[in-house]
Each structure stands twice: as structure tokens, then as C-alpha cells.
Amino acid sequence: MTEPENTAQAVQVTRLQSGLTVVTERMDRVETVSLGAYVAAGTRNESGAENGVSHFLEHMAFKGTARRSAAQIAEEIEAVGGHMNAYTAREQTAYYVKLLKEDLALGADIIGDILTHSAFAPDEVERERGVILQEIGQANDTPDDIIFDHFQETAYPDQPMGRPVLGTEDRIRAMPRETLTGYMHAHYAAPNIVVAAAGNLQHEQVVDLVQRHFADLPAAEVPSALPGSYGGGDFREDRDLDQVHVVLGFPSVGYSDEDYYPSLLLSTLLGGGMSSRLFQEVREKRGLVYSVYSFTAPYVDGGLFGIYAGTGEDEVAELVPVTIEELRKVQRDVSPEEMARAKAQVKSSLLMSLESTGSRCEQLARQLQVFGRIIPTAETVGRINAVTIADVQRAAARTFRGRPTMAAIGPGSRVLPLSDIAERLAA
């Protein structure tokens, strides 16, 4: 075990000999603790035949271990009023618990148990396979949900970064138990995991608990993920719906790019709230939509910038050209007032999230896995404050001159063809 690093007054990091990293943040004024294990593996680490295995594993984590049944896992956490959950993303799978500070040892025990001694009982695998198939079916029946899978697949064609997090029905039906256990053995290794805890705790206690309950994690190196390669393109699915759901997107930047914060502010002032340009122009002035917003999706080696809207079959003919015009305008005209609003929104979102022990855990783990260090809040705020109007305009020009991706579900015959979108943006 290495000595703890004092990265900030309340934050400490210890790297164990196995390669596992433990990071904690002490918050004296709360009575709870959140603890999570963050695995640097997700959809982008899966082969084609494995697509959906990361999410399948997330489900199986709660279905029993060598010494606990699925019911016992739930009962032990809820007996102390705790909450446990997990999620799967493209670059990470997380397992976390929140409970009273005196029950921290139980939380570490259970999270460690499910990561090191999951049973994968055949009947539980089959039962959960059915649950996931229901989840996929529900997503397919929800156009404002599944549209993002189609957008991702079109932006990153024929590669792990473009495949759905849930997997497909065919792959989940055919996935054997051995795929689950093999993937877990390959990717759930100590060097690939950060255990983060935040709340009313002592760092030394957390390190001791992790050493005890995560000791059986393998120490092997994990396979590297394939780099993402943006392609772009056009996806249309004609459905008998009242609305057309559209996502227009572009290649964008990753976490470490100089334009990360300018792109974040660009997304905020363009479509990040009720005062944003798209909300005001598309909804308030023209009444074309109920919902419209922009988003950034950064990854370790690139990212996506997107705009979502849901509108009527007739209105979509006006919606897309109006949106394109706003993308052109923002490249040449950003006012100091809207820049100040965007900065205030981004900073307040960051600072409000720090009031949650769970959000703090997630941020600490993500920073260590992406940057290899904890980034002080003051540094982040300083970088946001330092962004200029010229920076945002540069990021906009860089983004919106890339090859676009268009995904549309619904009666979309009046959605502009991709070639027309690219031509209008280049004009």
C-alpha cells in the first residue's frame, strides 16, 4: 500500500499494491456515506458478440454471491435504511451504496462481495435475461429514448462506441453464462477499478475495509478498448407517431481537449435552459416544439455534440432549418450577457452537485480514471471563468463544420436530407 495523497484538505487517495485505487472525501456536516466501485469498462470495451454484457453484469451483481442470495443482499441494505444501485455507461460501470455513516462497513462488504464473489446461478441468469429483454422492449417502444441509440450507432458505425448499452435482443438471448464470467474476469481487475467514498468518514477506515473486502480482485492488466472513429450519417425510421423525434449531431471533443469547457458553455447557451437560444427561438417565438435541448457527450478520445427535438410532421420542415440557422449564428455572434448566464449555469450545476455524497464519489472516480488526479473545484471554476467569447465561437466553428449525423423516428418525410443540412451549415 502506498501512502495517502492529500490532494485537497478533505480528499485523500491511496493506491494499493494490487493496483486498486481508493479515494475518499470527508464531509463532516452530513450523517451519511456513499461508497461506490467504478469500473473503467463499459460498452466500448465489448466485442460484437459481447454487446450488452457490461449491462448484463450490472444486473447480475444483485442476484446473489457465494454467501448471499439476491433477497439477502436487498434485505441487508434495506434493514439499515440504505440504498444500493448501479449503472452502465459507454466507458464505465458503477456499483454504489448510500447509507448512514455507522453502516459503512456493511456497504463496503456488500459491494466488495458482489464484485468478487458473484454466483451467476444459471436460474438467476435466465431470469435476469428475461428482465433485460423487457427493458430493451420498453426502450424500443419509447421513441424519445431509442432515438439516442440510433444516433450513437450512426455517428460511430460498425464499432463498439456505436453499439447500444443494453445490447440487442438477439445478442442477449444468445449470450451464455460464460460470456458474463469471462468478461468480468478480464475487465474487473484491481488496476481498472476506483473505489470512491464520500461523507462522514475516516479515510483510513475506508482503506482498511477495501483491503478486506476487495482483496480477491485479480491484479492483471485489462484489455485496451478500441479507439472511437466518428463516421456520421443519416438514420430514418418511419413510424406512425404523433411526433417526429430528431437528433442532429456532430463530432466533438473529449475531456482533455482545450475546447472541452468552451463546448460545454456552447451547449448551455445554445440549448441548456429556458433562456437558451434554441428554447427561445424554436419554442417560445415559433411554437414548433414542446422539448428542445442540446447536449455534449465527452469521452476519453473524442465526443459528440447533439441537439434533440420532438415536433409535429408539418413543423419539422421548419424546425431543422431554424436550428441550422442558430448553429450558424452562434459561430459569429455571442453576447457578453448570454456568456455570463451560461457560465453561471455551468458553475451552479457543478457546485450544487457537490452537495450530494453520491455525486462526489462519481466525480472523484471519474477524475482519477480520466486525468489520473483529483481536480480541485477552484481549478474547474477558474477554467470555466477563463473561457472567452472567442473560445466559444472557435468551438462552435470547429464542431458545426464537421460531418453531421441526423437520426429521426416518426413521420419524417419532411426532415431535411443530410446533404442539405451539410450544405446549409457550410454556406
Side-chain angles (χ1 to χ4, degrees), residues 108-417:
D109 181 2
I110 290 181
I111 297 295
D113 195 21
I114 64 178
L115 259 66
T116 57
H117 298 109
S118 283
F120 297 103
D123 58 334
E124 291 287 0
V125 171
E126 293 310 310
R127 206 169 3 252
E128 210 57 29
R129 189 192 311 278
V131 171
I132 294 170
L133 289 170
Q134 292 294 330
E135 187 176 0
I136 293 172
Q138 179 176 302
N140 288 335
D141 286 345
T142 311
D144 57 345
D145 182 356
I146 199 66
I147 186 66
F148 292 96
D149 277 355
H150 294 306
F151 168 69
Q152 187 83 20
E153 185 175 11
T154 307
Y156 290 101
D158 304 316
Q159 56 188 295
M161 281 296 290
R163 296 183 187 126
V165 172
L166 301 183
T168 64
E169 289 188 6
D170 289 344
R171 287 188 176 120
I172 296 302
R173 288 186 193 280
M175 189 172 291
R177 177 182 182 274
E178 291 72 25
T179 297
L180 298 171
T181 56
Y183 184 89
M184 190 173 199
H185 180 76
H187 293 277
Y188 282 50
N192 209 36
I193 297 175
V194 171
V195 176
N200 199 326
L201 52 78
Q202 296 293 333
H203 179 76
E204 296 77 11
Q205 179 195 11
V206 177
V207 172
D208 179 66
L209 290 169
V210 171
Q211 286 181 309
R212 190 184 319 161
H213 297 297
F214 293 75
D216 290 341
L217 286 172
E221 293 297 321
V222 300
S224 299
L226 291 175
S229 178
Y230 178 89
D234 206 354
F235 172 87
R236 310 290 171 104
E237 180 181 327
D238 189 46
R239 284 199 197 181
D240 185 16
L241 300 172
D242 289 335
Q243 281 199 315
V244 187
H245 299 269
V246 297
V247 178
L248 173 63
F250 304 86
S252 189
V253 300
Y255 292 103
S256 300
D257 194 282
E258 66 173 352
D259 281 335
Y260 171 73
Y261 287 105
S263 294
L264 188 59
L265 290 168
L266 169 65
S267 177
T268 302
L269 67 87
L270 187 64
M274 293 175 64
S275 65
S276 68
R277 291 188 175 197
L278 288 174
F279 192 95
Q280 285 295 312
E281 184 66 31
V282 175
R283 173 172 160 154
E284 296 297 281
K285 291 183 181 179
R286 299 174 183 260
L288 297 175
V289 302
Y290 172 73
S291 177
V292 60
Y293 59 85
S294 60
F295 61 91
T296 58
Y299 306 116
V300 295
D301 58 353
L304 294 171
F305 187 105
I307 299 108
Y308 164 83
T311 190
E313 181 178 6
D314 295 332
E315 289 80 0
V316 74
E318 183 181 358
L319 167 69
V320 177
V322 169
T323 299
I324 291 170
E325 183 57 28
E326 291 302 318
L327 303 187
R328 296 181 62 207
K329 285 180 182 178
V330 78
Q331 297 178 49
R332 60 179 184 266
D333 178 30
V334 174
S335 72
E337 293 77 16
E338 64 182 339
M339 186 71 167
R341 280 199 305 271
K343 287 184 177 182
Q345 285 178 265
V346 171
K347 288 186 291 186
S348 66
S349 177
L350 167 68
L351 296 174
M352 287 178 185
S353 73
L354 296 180
E355 297 177 1
S356 161
T357 57
S359 294
R360 289 199 183 201
C361 285
E362 187 171 344
Q363 288 183 29
L364 293 170
R366 193 63 174 163
Q367 288 174 359
L368 285 173
Q369 288 175 330
V370 173
F371 303 107
R373 70 183 182 98
I374 300 301
I375 301 176
T377 301
E379 179 181 334
T380 300
V381 171
R383 295 185 68 179
I384 295 168
N385 285 334
V387 176
T388 65
I389 288 175
D391 293 333
V392 170
Q393 291 174 319
R394 181 191 67 246
R398 177 182 175 185
T399 301
F400 303 139
R401 290 173 189 172
R403 173 172 163 79
T405 295
M406 168 60 80
I409 296 178
S413 61
R414 302 188 69 187
V415 178
L416 277 179

